[in-house]
Amino acid sequence: MDYKIEKPIRLNGKSPHDGLYSWFIEEMDQATKQLGPNYIPWSWNFHFEARDLMVVRALEKKDDKPAEVRQHIRGRLFPEMKDRRAAATFSFFGTNRTIESFTLNIVRTTGDREDIHVTGAMAFEYEWDFESLMQSDSVEIEISLTAEKYDTLAEFIADGRSKAVVTLGLVDGFYSQWSPSIRTNDIKILSSLQDQKVKIDAGNDIAPPVLGKAGEFVLRLMMDRDDGQLSDTTSDEDTETVVQRATVQAPTSPIELGQLEKKLSQLAMPLWITVGLLTINLFLR
């Protein structure tokens, strides 16, 4: 695959600040001169707005096999930009392109295992029906839920809660320059050492994290008010009643979502105030 990489990338095991970090990733020019800052793993949280959430169902029938009904929850994610302190741009190492395609995919598992997985693909050119086309940079967050929890979430989305706020944290493969703050406005993504042609000096046994695992995922579902704004302002007491926070340590600990609908139906709230708020917290080692 011919990925669109504009700059060489190198893993440098000689940190100029050993007390802060022992290695870093750098982008180079063609003369192997460092172009930007020293990038190190970044594990703090990022916020996205989720739009166009929908439950996608499909009927599949092949040959003489029984027909199968498959489904998943799909949506688009947009990095937070309203709060300048929390806003960040994302790009793959070796490129100057801002990633504009973030997607959320929530699937229904057949067992008890729940998981968060983050994948990314750099832009590449391909041919389709004798036409040359370009696939843009993209990142996808996939969440696996047990059948009961997936069905509960799908019911809320089918009921009209099609917008949400997503918090994502502890993501392997996210890098930024060192800072004493918990915020950054520049994230570089390492999805594959091979695809991004990362140069590693001989004898260097450092294994930099690449996209795959994420330790935290929070989804807050909301409904639109009649004026087009999201209903997300509740009193502290209402928030404590509606928001159900649960922690899981994969793969055995479940998320308690089964009683959310009952709690929401019993909650009395004034007009123009949030009619639904769903929070999922997943913490994975």
Side-chain angles (χ1 to χ4, degrees):
M1 190 74 70
D2 184 20
Y3 294 107
K4 299 301 179 180
I5 300 176
E6 302 157 352
K7 296 173 286 187
I9 311 160
R10 181 171 67 186
L11 173 65
N12 194 326
K14 299 178 181 179
S15 171
H17 307 288
D18 286 334
L20 298 177
Y21 51 89
S22 60
W23 59 271
F24 60 93
I25 294 179
E26 55 188 348
E27 293 180 314
M28 320 293 290
D29 64 13
Q30 296 303 323
T32 67
K33 179 181 179 181
Q34 185 173 358
L35 293 174
N38 301 340
Y39 289 99
I40 62 175
W42 187 268
S43 59
W44 298 105
N45 291 344
F46 296 96
H47 305 285
F48 299 82
E49 180 183 345
R51 304 177 193 168
D52 305 324
L53 290 173
M54 64 183 71
V55 181
V56 180
R57 297 181 176 91
L59 176 66
E60 297 181 5
K61 180 73 171 72
K62 295 181 180 180
D63 301 325
D64 295 331
K65 298 179 181 179
E68 293 185 65
V69 176
R70 301 182 183 277
Q71 62 173 301
H72 64 277
I73 297 170
R74 192 80 172 170
R76 296 187 297 159
L77 297 178
F78 297 85
E80 167 64 48
M81 289 297 176
K82 296 179 182 178
D83 184 352
R84 293 183 180 180
R85 298 172 302 172
T89 57
F90 298 79
S91 61
F92 285 105
F93 273 112
T95 77
N96 292 321
R97 301 182 301 268
T98 297
I99 300 173
E100 298 181 352
S101 176
F102 290 86
T103 55
L104 174 65
N105 191 40
I106 303 176
V107 299
R108 199 171 186 254
T109 65
T110 55
D112 296 329
R113 183 178 177 83
E114 295 174 328
D115 201 3
I116 308 174
H117 196 71
V118 184
T119 57
M122 290 178 297
F124 61 91
E125 192 172 347
Y126 65 99
E127 184 178 299
W128 176 258
D129 197 18
F130 303 104
E131 182 180 1
S132 181
L133 300 175
M134 179 69 71
Q135 175 65 50
S136 61
D137 299 307
S138 63
V139 173
E140 178 170 282
I141 297 94
E142 181 170 287
I143 313 297
S144 302
L145 293 178
T146 60
E148 180 182 1
K149 298 163 195 175
Y150 173 90
D151 291 343
T152 301
L153 184 59
E155 185 174 349
F156 276 104
I157 291 173
D159 194 34
R161 272 147 277 211
S162 60
K163 292 186 179 181
V165 174
V166 166
T167 299
L168 190 66
L170 300 171
V171 183
D172 284 355
F174 279 13
Y175 291 77
S176 189
Q177 56 187 317
W178 183 89
S179 169
S181 173
I182 62 172
R183 295 189 176 101
T184 181
N185 58 10
D186 175 31
I187 286 293
K188 284 290 184 178
I189 296 179
L190 186 62
S191 60
S192 168
L193 295 175
Q194 181 178 1
D195 293 343
Q196 289 173 275
K197 302 176 182 179
V198 180
K199 180 181 178 181
I200 302 177
D201 294 334
N204 191 336
D205 59 356
I206 298 171
V210 298
L211 281 184
K213 295 181 180 179
E216 180 175 354
F217 175 85
V218 180
L219 173 68
R220 295 172 57 227
L221 278 171
M222 293 164 283
M223 291 186 72
D224 283 333
R225 304 187 315 195
D226 291 341
D227 60 4
Q229 299 297 316
L230 290 178
S231 299
D232 62 352
T233 54
T234 60
S235 67
D236 291 341
E237 182 179 356
D238 290 336
T239 301
E240 286 299 319
T241 304
V242 178
V243 177
Q244 304 297 312
R245 292 192 174 271
T247 301
V248 303
Q249 296 181 344
T252 58
S253 303
I255 307 171
E256 294 300 333
L257 292 178
Q259 298 181 355
L260 277 177
E261 183 177 8
K262 180 179 179 181
K263 290 181 179 294
L264 286 170
S265 65
Q266 295 174 346
L267 179 63
M269 302 177 67
L271 188 60
W272 303 106
I273 301 300
T274 307
V275 297
L277 184 60
L278 173 64
T279 301
I280 305 173
N281 275 357
L282 300 175
F283 295 91
L284 305 179
R285 292 177 179 174

